Amino acid sequence: MQETIDYIKKQIKDFKPEIGIILGSGLGDFADNVAGIRIKYQDIPGFEKSTVAGHKGQLVFCEADGKKFVVMQGRYHYYEGYHISRIVYPIKVMKKLGVKTLIITNAAGSVNKKYNAGDLMVITDHINLMGVNPLIGENDASLGDRFPDMSEVYKKSLIQLTLQKAKELNMQVRQGVYAAMSGPSYETPAEINMLRIMGADAVGMSTVPEALVANYCGMDVLGISCITNSAAGVHPSRLSHAEVVETAAKVKDSFKNLLVSVIREI
Ligand code: HPA
């Protein structure tokens, strides 16, 4: 960790990010046109190479509206085969760099039958069905408690702020529960039925490990899903990553507008 921090600090000097943003599938270009310092994951000691097509794999340190950001263009997924501790390593790095608020975005399938592809959903809570917890192992007490409370992982005031900003932008935004599966296979119709009975509204293969660790580290978390497809069994069509990326690309401008107006008020 010290080597990671030393390497990053050498590039960013005394820049101190307060807000972290993780960009999910199709949203990776959010920080493309901003001036900032870019560091590729592959160059950072302790970081893995990101392998998913459509994910860039770099940190962008930038400033807007007087606020300082570190943006993850691309993330690690458990299904890529990394140990779960590697997936959440960047979150711990953000904490050490001074990040207080983490905004997590993702692409997700809709479990809730009222949702449509292209909808945005503010995450109110999650169900971890990845089969693993990123805090398993020795606890680093300098980061957080051995048995962290999880009663408000997604901060209510940030959820309210996002809903308020959506209203001002005349956007319909859903709020619901995100269920995380390991992937990489999509779910079966029976699994989606199970998730619905459990109380999930959307399903995806990320976010939960990151949110869990951010909460453990004492960060405020906001999660927003871009509903890219109806989950398996809702419609007769087959699921594909191309569809996920295509829908995410279609809504990225409104997603960006929402993010920018939320960020202004944090
Ligand atoms: N299932 C799981 N993960 C996803 C989906 C889905 O339907 N869509 C986007 N990510």
Side-chain angles (χ1 to χ4, degrees):
M1 178 57 84
Q2 199 50 50
E3 207 186 320
T4 305
I5 299 297
D6 288 348
Y7 180 85
I8 292 173
K9 285 209 166 147
K10 223 188 325 173
Q11 325 282 320
I12 66 172
K13 306 283 179 337
D14 55 359
F15 185 90
K16 239 180 164 283
E18 304 150 291
I19 302 175
I21 305 179
I22 306 177
L23 301 174
S25 289
L27 303 162
D29 66 358
F30 180 71
D32 269 359
N33 298 315
V34 298
I37 300 162
R38 292 172 164 73
I39 313 178
K40 293 215 176 327
Y41 294 165
Q42 66 204 42
D43 296 334
I44 305 174
F47 273 53
E48 307 283 346
K49 267 199 327 222
S50 190
T51 61
V52 180
H55 288 251
K56 280 199 179 76
Q58 62 182 1
L59 293 180
V60 182
F61 292 87
C62 53
E63 210 165 338
D65 292 318
K67 289 176 189 112
K68 296 186 170 72
F69 299 91
V70 52
V71 181
M72 285 181 73
Q73 280 188 310
R75 58 150 58 88
Y76 301 112
H77 301 86
Y78 188 46
Y79 62 74
E80 291 174 81
Y82 305 119
H83 190 271
I84 191 70
S85 63
R86 309 318 303 156
I87 312 295
V88 296
Y89 186 68
I91 312 304
K92 295 179 181 173
V93 170
M94 285 187 190
K95 173 70 183 178
K96 298 264 183 198
L97 292 173
V99 169
K100 298 194 169 49
T101 305
L102 181 65
I103 302 174
I104 310 179
T105 70
N106 62 51
S110 65
V111 173
N112 187 320
K113 287 184 177 166
K114 293 193 185 121
Y115 291 6
N116 300 303
D119 285 352
L120 297 179
M121 183 191 89
V122 185
I123 302 175
T124 54
D125 205 348
H126 74 224
I127 304 175
N128 182 8
L129 293 168
M130 281 191 166
V132 69
N133 188 304
L135 299 179
I136 289 174
E138 199 185 330
N139 186 49
D140 178 353
S142 74
L143 285 172
D145 291 341
R146 171 75 295 187
F147 302 109
D149 173 71
M150 292 280 284
S151 51
E152 192 185 334
V153 176
Y154 303 89
K155 201 174 170 74
K156 287 197 174 79
S157 57
L158 292 175
I159 295 170
Q160 285 315 314
L161 171 65
T162 308
L163 295 173
Q164 176 61 31
K165 291 293 141 192
K167 204 165 153 198
E168 287 169 24
L169 291 167
N170 253 327
M171 290 170 67
Q172 190 205 25
V173 169
R174 313 282 193 171
Q175 38 179 327
V177 173
Y178 175 95
M181 305 285 272
S182 73
S185 50
Y186 289 116
E187 301 71 31
T188 63
E191 285 164 346
I192 294 302
N193 198 34
M194 170 192 78
L195 295 177
R196 196 173 295 121
I197 292 165
M198 283 179 159
D201 296 289
V203 58
M205 306 173 192
S206 68
T207 301
V208 162
E210 297 148 345
L212 198 158
V213 169
N215 173 69
Y216 153 81
C217 291
M219 293 183 197
D220 293 341
V221 179
L222 171 66
I224 308 177
S225 294
C226 172
I227 304 298
T228 52
N229 57 281
S230 298
V234 178
H235 292 299
S237 59
R238 293 170 69 87
L239 304 190
S240 70
H241 183 58
E243 179 192 4
V244 168
V245 173
E246 196 185 314
T247 310
K250 272 190 205 144
V251 295
K252 76 174 181 218
D253 289 334
S254 50
F255 204 159
K256 268 186 210 172
N257 288 341
L258 180 63
L259 264 185
V260 167
S261 53
V262 167
I263 283 163
R264 278 206 188 108
E265 307 271 328
I266 291 178

Coordinates of all heavy atoms in Angstrom, one line a residue, residues 164-221:
Q164 N -33.6 14.7 -6.0 CA -33.9 16.1 -6.2 C -33.4 16.6 -7.5 O -34.1 17.3 -8.2 CB -33.4 16.8 -5.0 CG -33.5 18.3 -5.0 CD -35.0 18.7 -5.1 OE1 -35.9 18.0 -4.5 NE2 -35.3 19.8 -5.7
K165 N -32.1 16.3 -7.7 CA -31.4 16.8 -9.0 C -32.1 16.2 -10.2 O -32.3 16.9 -11.2 CB -29.9 16.5 -9.0 CG -29.2 17.2 -7.9 CD -29.1 18.7 -8.3 CE -29.2 19.5 -7.0 NZ -29.4 20.9 -7.3
A166 N -32.5 14.9 -10.1 CA -33.2 14.3 -11.2 C -34.5 15.0 -11.5 O -34.8 15.3 -12.7 CB -33.5 12.8 -10.9
K167 N -35.2 15.4 -10.5 CA -36.5 16.1 -10.6 C -36.2 17.5 -11.3 O -37.0 17.8 -12.2 CB -37.1 16.3 -9.2 CG -38.5 16.5 -9.2 CD -39.0 16.3 -7.7 CE -40.3 17.1 -7.6 NZ -40.6 17.3 -6.1
E168 N -35.2 18.2 -10.9 CA -34.9 19.4 -11.5 C -34.6 19.3 -13.0 O -34.8 20.2 -13.7 CB -33.7 20.1 -10.7 CG -34.1 20.7 -9.4 CD -32.9 21.1 -8.5 OE1 -31.8 21.4 -9.1 OE2 -33.1 21.1 -7.3
L169 N -34.0 18.2 -13.3 CA -33.6 17.9 -14.7 C -34.7 17.3 -15.5 O -34.5 16.9 -16.6 CB -32.4 17.0 -14.8 CG -31.0 17.6 -14.3 CD1 -30.0 16.5 -14.1 CD2 -30.5 18.6 -15.3
N170 N -35.9 17.1 -14.8 CA -37.0 16.4 -15.5 C -36.7 15.0 -15.9 O -37.2 14.5 -16.9 CB -37.4 17.2 -16.7 CG -38.7 18.0 -16.5 OD1 -39.6 17.5 -15.7 ND2 -38.8 19.1 -17.1
M171 N -35.9 14.3 -15.1 CA -35.6 12.9 -15.4 C -36.3 12.0 -14.5 O -36.4 12.3 -13.3 CB -34.1 12.7 -15.2 CG -33.2 13.4 -16.2 SD -31.4 13.3 -15.7 CE -31.2 11.5 -15.8
Q172 N -36.8 10.9 -15.0 CA -37.4 9.9 -14.1 C -36.2 9.0 -13.6 O -35.5 8.4 -14.4 CB -38.4 9.1 -14.8 CG -39.2 8.2 -13.9 CD -39.8 7.0 -14.5 OE1 -39.3 6.5 -15.5 NE2 -40.9 6.5 -14.0
V173 N -36.1 9.0 -12.3 CA -35.0 8.1 -11.7 C -35.7 7.1 -10.8 O -36.5 7.5 -9.9 CB -33.9 8.9 -11.1 CG1 -33.0 8.0 -10.3 CG2 -33.1 9.7 -12.1
R174 N -35.3 5.8 -10.9 CA -35.9 4.8 -10.0 C -35.0 4.8 -8.7 O -33.9 5.2 -8.7 CB -35.8 3.4 -10.7 CG -36.3 3.4 -12.1 CD -37.8 3.4 -12.1 NE -38.3 3.1 -13.4 CZ -39.6 2.8 -13.6 NH1 -40.5 2.8 -12.7 NH2 -40.0 2.5 -14.9
Q175 N -35.6 4.1 -7.7 CA -34.7 3.8 -6.5 C -35.0 2.4 -6.2 O -36.2 1.9 -6.2 CB -34.9 4.8 -5.4 CG -36.3 5.2 -5.1 CD -36.4 6.1 -3.9 OE1 -35.6 6.0 -2.9 NE2 -37.3 7.1 -3.9
G176 N -33.9 1.6 -5.9 CA -34.2 0.2 -5.6 C -33.0 -0.5 -5.1 O -31.9 0.1 -4.9
V177 N -33.2 -1.8 -4.9 CA -32.2 -2.7 -4.3 C -31.4 -3.4 -5.5 O -31.9 -4.0 -6.4 CB -32.8 -3.7 -3.4 CG1 -31.8 -4.8 -2.9 CG2 -33.5 -3.0 -2.2
Y178 N -30.1 -3.4 -5.3 CA -29.1 -4.0 -6.3 C -28.6 -5.3 -5.7 O -28.1 -5.3 -4.6 CB -28.0 -3.0 -6.5 CG -26.9 -3.5 -7.4 CD1 -26.9 -3.2 -8.8 CD2 -25.8 -4.2 -6.9 CE1 -25.8 -3.6 -9.6 CE2 -24.8 -4.7 -7.8 CZ -24.8 -4.3 -9.1 OH -23.8 -4.7 -9.9
A179 N -28.8 -6.3 -6.5 CA -28.3 -7.6 -6.1 C -27.0 -7.9 -6.9 O -27.0 -7.7 -8.1 CB -29.3 -8.7 -6.4
A180 N -26.0 -8.4 -6.2 CA -24.7 -8.7 -6.9 C -24.5 -10.2 -7.1 O -24.6 -10.9 -6.1 CB -23.5 -8.0 -6.2
M181 N -24.3 -10.6 -8.3 CA -23.9 -12.0 -8.6 C -22.5 -12.0 -9.1 O -22.0 -10.9 -9.5 CB -24.8 -12.5 -9.7 CG -26.3 -12.4 -9.4 SD -26.9 -13.6 -8.2 CE -27.3 -15.0 -9.3
S182 N -21.8 -13.1 -9.0 CA -20.4 -13.1 -9.4 C -20.3 -13.0 -10.9 O -19.3 -12.4 -11.4 CB -19.7 -14.4 -9.0 OG -20.2 -15.5 -9.8
G183 N -21.2 -13.5 -11.7 CA -21.0 -13.5 -13.2 C -19.9 -14.5 -13.4 O -19.5 -15.2 -12.5
P184 N -19.3 -14.6 -14.6 CA -19.6 -13.8 -15.8 C -20.9 -14.2 -16.6 O -21.3 -13.5 -17.4 CB -18.4 -13.9 -16.7 CG -17.9 -15.3 -16.4 CD -18.2 -15.5 -14.9
S185 N -21.4 -15.4 -16.3 CA -22.6 -15.8 -17.0 C -23.8 -14.9 -16.5 O -23.8 -14.5 -15.3 CB -23.0 -17.3 -16.8 OG -22.9 -17.6 -15.4
Y186 N -24.7 -14.5 -17.4 CA -25.9 -13.9 -16.9 C -26.7 -14.9 -16.1 O -26.4 -16.1 -16.1 CB -26.6 -13.3 -18.1 CG -25.9 -12.1 -18.8 CD1 -25.5 -12.2 -20.1 CD2 -25.8 -10.9 -18.1 CE1 -24.8 -11.1 -20.7 CE2 -25.1 -9.8 -18.6 CZ -24.6 -9.9 -19.9 OH -24.0 -8.8 -20.5
E187 N -27.8 -14.4 -15.5 CA -28.6 -15.2 -14.7 C -29.5 -16.1 -15.5 O -29.9 -15.8 -16.6 CB -29.4 -14.4 -13.7 CG -28.5 -13.5 -12.8 CD -27.8 -12.3 -13.5 OE1 -28.4 -11.8 -14.5 OE2 -26.7 -12.0 -13.1
T188 N -30.0 -17.1 -14.9 CA -31.1 -17.9 -15.5 C -32.4 -17.2 -15.1 O -32.5 -16.5 -14.1 CB -31.1 -19.4 -15.0 OG1 -31.4 -19.3 -13.6 CG2 -29.8 -20.1 -15.2
P189 N -33.5 -17.5 -15.9 CA -34.8 -17.0 -15.5 C -35.2 -17.4 -14.0 O -35.8 -16.6 -13.3 CB -35.8 -17.6 -16.5 CG -34.9 -17.8 -17.7 CD -33.5 -18.2 -17.2
A190 N -34.8 -18.6 -13.6 CA -35.2 -19.0 -12.2 C -34.4 -18.2 -11.2 O -34.9 -17.9 -10.2 CB -34.8 -20.5 -12.1
E191 N -33.1 -17.9 -11.5 CA -32.4 -17.0 -10.6 C -32.9 -15.6 -10.5 O -33.0 -15.0 -9.4 CB -30.9 -17.0 -11.1 CG -30.1 -18.3 -10.8 CD -28.8 -18.4 -11.5 OE1 -28.6 -17.7 -12.5 OE2 -28.1 -19.3 -11.2
I192 N -33.4 -15.1 -11.7 CA -34.0 -13.8 -11.6 C -35.3 -13.8 -10.8 O -35.6 -12.9 -10.0 CB -34.3 -13.3 -13.1 CG1 -32.9 -13.0 -13.8 CG2 -35.1 -12.0 -13.1 CD1 -32.0 -12.0 -13.2
N193 N -36.0 -14.9 -11.0 CA -37.3 -15.0 -10.1 C -36.9 -15.0 -8.7 O -37.6 -14.4 -7.8 CB -38.0 -16.3 -10.6 CG -39.4 -16.4 -10.1 OD1 -40.1 -15.3 -10.1 ND2 -39.9 -17.5 -9.8
M194 N -35.9 -15.8 -8.3 CA -35.4 -15.8 -6.9 C -35.0 -14.4 -6.4 O -35.4 -14.0 -5.3 CB -34.1 -16.7 -6.8 CG -33.4 -16.6 -5.5 SD -31.8 -17.4 -5.5 CE -30.8 -16.2 -6.4
L195 N -34.3 -13.6 -7.3 CA -33.9 -12.3 -6.9 C -35.1 -11.4 -6.6 O -35.1 -10.6 -5.7 CB -33.0 -11.7 -8.0 CG -31.6 -12.4 -8.2 CD1 -30.9 -11.7 -9.3 CD2 -30.8 -12.4 -6.9
R196 N -36.1 -11.6 -7.5 CA -37.3 -10.8 -7.3 C -38.0 -11.1 -6.0 O -38.4 -10.2 -5.3 CB -38.2 -11.0 -8.5 CG -39.3 -10.0 -8.7 CD -40.1 -10.2 -10.0 NE -39.3 -10.0 -11.2 CZ -39.1 -11.0 -12.1 NH1 -39.7 -12.1 -12.0 NH2 -38.4 -10.7 -13.2
I197 N -38.1 -12.4 -5.7 CA -38.7 -12.8 -4.4 C -37.9 -12.2 -3.2 O -38.5 -11.8 -2.2 CB -38.8 -14.3 -4.4 CG1 -39.9 -14.8 -5.4 CG2 -39.2 -14.8 -3.0 CD1 -39.8 -16.3 -5.7
M198 N -36.6 -12.2 -3.4 CA -35.7 -11.7 -2.3 C -35.9 -10.2 -2.1 O -35.4 -9.6 -1.1 CB -34.3 -11.9 -2.7 CG -33.8 -13.3 -2.5 SD -32.1 -13.4 -3.0 CE -31.6 -14.9 -2.2
G199 N -36.4 -9.5 -3.1 CA -36.6 -8.0 -3.0 C -35.6 -7.2 -3.8 O -35.5 -6.0 -3.5
A200 N -34.9 -7.8 -4.7 CA -34.0 -7.1 -5.6 C -34.8 -6.4 -6.7 O -35.8 -6.9 -7.2 CB -32.9 -8.0 -6.2
D201 N -34.3 -5.2 -7.2 CA -34.9 -4.5 -8.3 C -33.9 -4.6 -9.5 O -34.4 -4.4 -10.7 CB -35.1 -3.1 -8.0 CG -36.1 -2.9 -6.8 OD1 -37.3 -3.2 -7.1 OD2 -35.8 -2.6 -5.7
A202 N -32.7 -4.8 -9.3 CA -31.7 -4.8 -10.4 C -30.6 -5.8 -10.0 O -30.4 -6.1 -8.8 CB -31.1 -3.4 -10.6
V203 N -29.9 -6.3 -11.0 CA -28.8 -7.3 -10.8 C -27.6 -6.9 -11.6 O -27.7 -6.5 -12.8 CB -29.3 -8.7 -11.1 CG1 -29.8 -8.8 -12.6 CG2 -28.2 -9.7 -10.8
G204 N -26.5 -7.1 -11.0 CA -25.2 -6.8 -11.7 C -24.1 -7.6 -11.1 O -24.3 -8.4 -10.2
M205 N -22.9 -7.3 -11.7 CA -21.7 -8.1 -11.3 C -20.6 -7.3 -10.6 O -19.4 -7.7 -10.7 CB -21.1 -8.8 -12.5 CG -22.1 -9.7 -13.3 SD -21.5 -10.3 -14.8 CE -23.0 -10.9 -15.6
S206 N -21.0 -6.2 -10.1 CA -20.0 -5.3 -9.5 C -20.5 -4.5 -8.3 O -21.5 -5.0 -7.7 CB -19.5 -4.2 -10.6 OG -20.6 -3.4 -10.9
T207 N -20.0 -3.4 -8.0 CA -20.5 -2.4 -7.0 C -20.5 -2.8 -5.6 O -20.1 -2.1 -4.7 CB -21.9 -1.9 -7.5 OG1 -21.8 -1.4 -8.8 CG2 -22.5 -0.9 -6.5
V208 N -21.1 -4.0 -5.3 CA -21.3 -4.4 -3.9 C -19.9 -4.5 -3.1 O -19.8 -4.0 -2.0 CB -22.1 -5.7 -3.8 CG1 -21.9 -6.4 -2.5 CG2 -23.6 -5.4 -4.1
P209 N -18.9 -5.2 -3.7 CA -17.6 -5.2 -3.0 C -17.1 -3.8 -2.7 O -16.6 -3.5 -1.6 CB -16.7 -6.0 -3.9 CG -17.6 -6.8 -4.8 CD -18.8 -6.0 -5.0
E210 N -17.2 -2.9 -3.7 CA -16.7 -1.6 -3.6 C -17.4 -0.8 -2.6 O -16.8 -0.1 -1.7 CB -16.7 -0.9 -5.0 CG -15.9 -1.6 -6.1 CD -16.5 -1.5 -7.5 OE1 -17.7 -1.1 -7.6 OE2 -15.8 -1.8 -8.4
A211 N -18.8 -0.9 -2.6 CA -19.6 -0.1 -1.7 C -19.4 -0.6 -0.2 O -19.3 0.1 0.7 CB -21.1 -0.3 -2.0
L212 N -19.2 -2.0 -0.1 CA -19.0 -2.6 1.2 C -17.7 -2.1 1.8 O -17.7 -1.7 3.0 CB -19.0 -4.1 0.9 CG -19.2 -5.0 2.1 CD1 -19.7 -6.4 1.6 CD2 -18.0 -5.2 3.0
V213 N -16.7 -2.0 1.0 CA -15.4 -1.6 1.6 C -15.4 -0.1 1.8 O -14.8 0.4 2.8 CB -14.2 -2.0 0.6 CG1 -12.9 -1.3 1.0 CG2 -14.1 -3.5 0.7
A214 N -16.0 0.7 0.9 CA -16.1 2.1 1.2 C -16.8 2.4 2.5 O -16.4 3.3 3.3 CB -16.8 2.8 0.0
N215 N -17.9 1.7 2.7 CA -18.7 1.9 4.0 C -17.8 1.5 5.2 O -17.8 2.2 6.2 CB -19.9 1.0 3.9 CG -20.7 1.0 5.2 OD1 -21.3 1.9 5.6 ND2 -20.7 -0.2 5.9
Y216 N -17.1 0.4 5.0 CA -16.2 -0.1 6.1 C -15.1 1.0 6.4 O -14.8 1.2 7.6 CB -15.6 -1.4 5.6 CG -14.2 -1.8 6.1 CD1 -14.1 -2.4 7.4 CD2 -13.1 -1.6 5.3 CE1 -12.9 -2.8 7.8 CE2 -11.8 -2.0 5.8 CZ -11.7 -2.6 7.0 OH -10.5 -3.0 7.5
C217 N -14.7 1.7 5.4 CA -13.6 2.7 5.5 C -14.2 4.1 6.0 O -13.5 5.0 6.1 CB -12.9 3.0 4.2 SG -11.9 1.7 3.6
G218 N -15.5 4.1 6.2 CA -16.2 5.4 6.6 C -16.5 6.4 5.6 O -16.7 7.6 5.8
M219 N -16.5 5.9 4.3 CA -16.9 6.9 3.2 C -18.4 6.9 3.1 O -19.1 6.0 3.4 CB -16.3 6.4 1.9 CG -14.8 6.4 1.8 SD -14.4 5.9 0.1 CE -12.7 5.5 0.2
D220 N -18.9 8.1 2.6 CA -20.3 8.2 2.2 C -20.4 7.6 0.7 O -19.5 7.9 -0.1 CB -20.7 9.7 2.1 CG -20.7 10.3 3.5 OD1 -20.8 9.5 4.5 OD2 -20.7 11.5 3.6
V221 N -21.4 6.8 0.5 CA -21.5 6.1 -0.8 C -22.8 6.5 -1.5 O -23.8 6.5 -0.9 CB -21.4 4.6 -0.6 CG1 -21.6 3.9 -2.0 CG2 -20.1 4.1 0.1

